[in-house]
Amino acid sequence: QSALTQPPSASGSPGQSVTISCTGTSSDVGGYNYVSWYQQYPGKAPKLMIYEVSKRPSGVPDRFSGSKSGNTASLTVSGLQAEDEADYYCSSYAGSNNFDVVFGGGTKLTVL
Amino acid sequence: EVQLVQSGAEVKQPGESLKISCKGSGYSFTSYWIAWVRQMPGKGLEWMGFIYPGDSDTRYSPSFQGQVAFSADKSISTAYLQWSSLKASDTAMYYCARRDGRAFDIWGQGTKVTVSS
């Protein structure tokens, strides 16, 4: 399966909102409500931020929200803070065999 | 605390074999699938496959089938990723992660593998 499509970069000023898109197909993003988002700081392991399109794990600020429309999922970060500057990856369940996973190419979020 | 702790960085020559580990603690290690994820230098995340430590059932991404092997020792709550003959293109950071539902909720700290002559 092909990687999901994310913009290479996104940016916003402190306090603003920024949305990162993640485009797939009807075989992955559009076919299932199993999109997740991960935050990764340089040299660190990824961290789960959103699962099942819009659910937040315990401890993730409610400034982070997820949504989906058709074959495109989105991560919105509201009230941007300097600490939100990181790489963000989307991921989706992608197969009928219950196991296939596909990641997006990643988006570098810069807080101006 | 629920955590996955991976083995340390490795430097190997092409053609050598390698086995890296991922030890789980703080939860029932045999009840969750463990994923392996590759991140090549400066690149994104790539799903390699899964192993279920409860019975060592394995599922490989087509991109990695035949290139690597997963195993697990449930008696010590440890999963393994191994190569029989490394290539320079295997140079990357490798992460293990716990699958909860369809998301990866716990990640290891990563193991850096460098393959160079």
Side-chain angles (χ1 to χ4, degrees), chain A residues 4-50:
Chain A
L4 305 176
T5 300
Q6 296 182 236
S9 63
S11 63
S13 299
Q16 289 186 331
S17 293
V18 63
T19 296
I20 299 171
S21 63
C22 169
T23 301
T25 70
S26 58
S27 297
D28 39 64
V29 174
Y32 312 94
N33 288 322
Y34 290 126
V35 176
S36 50
W37 290 89
Y38 302 88
Q39 176 190 64
Q40 186 180 35
Y41 293 116
K44 299 296 185 182
K47 174 188 175 183
L48 178 64
M49 303 300 284
I50 296 287

Side-chain angles (χ1 to χ4, degrees), chain B residues 7-86:
Chain B
S7 49
E10 301 275 0
V11 179
K12 293 289 189 179
Q13 294 189 338
E16 290 189 316
S17 62
L18 176 63
K19 192 173 188 178
I20 64 175
S21 66
C22 168
K23 182 175 177 62
S25 62
Y27 74 100
S28 176
F29 188 71
T30 55
S31 299
Y32 292 82
W33 289 85
I34 291 289
W36 288 97
V37 177
R38 183 176 77 175
Q39 188 168 37
M40 300 178 77
K43 302 298 183 181
L45 305 173
E46 299 174 88
W47 170 69
M48 301 175 69
F50 292 109
I51 185 166
Y52 189 73
D55 61 6
S56 289
D57 189 9
T58 55
R59 307 298 167 101
Y60 294 94
S61 161
S63 300
F64 292 91
Q65 179 81 47
Q67 308 304 308
V68 297
F70 307 146
S71 59
D73 184 340
K74 61 184 180 182
S75 70
I76 54 172
S77 300
T78 301
Y80 301 97
L81 167 61
Q82 69 181 83
W83 296 259
S84 58
S85 180
L86 286 161

Side-chain angles (χ1 to χ4, degrees), chain A residues 17-93:
Chain A
S17 293
V18 63
T19 296
I20 299 171
S21 63
C22 169
T23 301
T25 70
S26 58
S27 297
D28 39 64
V29 174
Y32 312 94
N33 288 322
Y34 290 126
V35 176
S36 50
W37 290 89
Y38 302 88
Q39 176 190 64
Q40 186 180 35
Y41 293 116
K44 299 296 185 182
K47 174 188 175 183
L48 178 64
M49 303 300 284
I50 296 287
Y51 67 100
E52 292 178 6
V53 177
S54 60
K55 299 178 181 178
R56 276 188 313 277
S58 175
V60 173
D62 60 7
R63 301 184 295 103
F64 291 85
S65 62
S67 63
K68 189 186 85 167
S69 177
N71 296 336
T72 298
S74 299
L75 172 71
T76 297
V77 187
S78 305
L80 268 177
Q81 299 182 4
E83 67 203 52
D84 299 331
E85 184 163 301
D87 293 325
Y88 291 85
Y89 294 91
C90 62
S91 177
S92 176
Y93 169 64

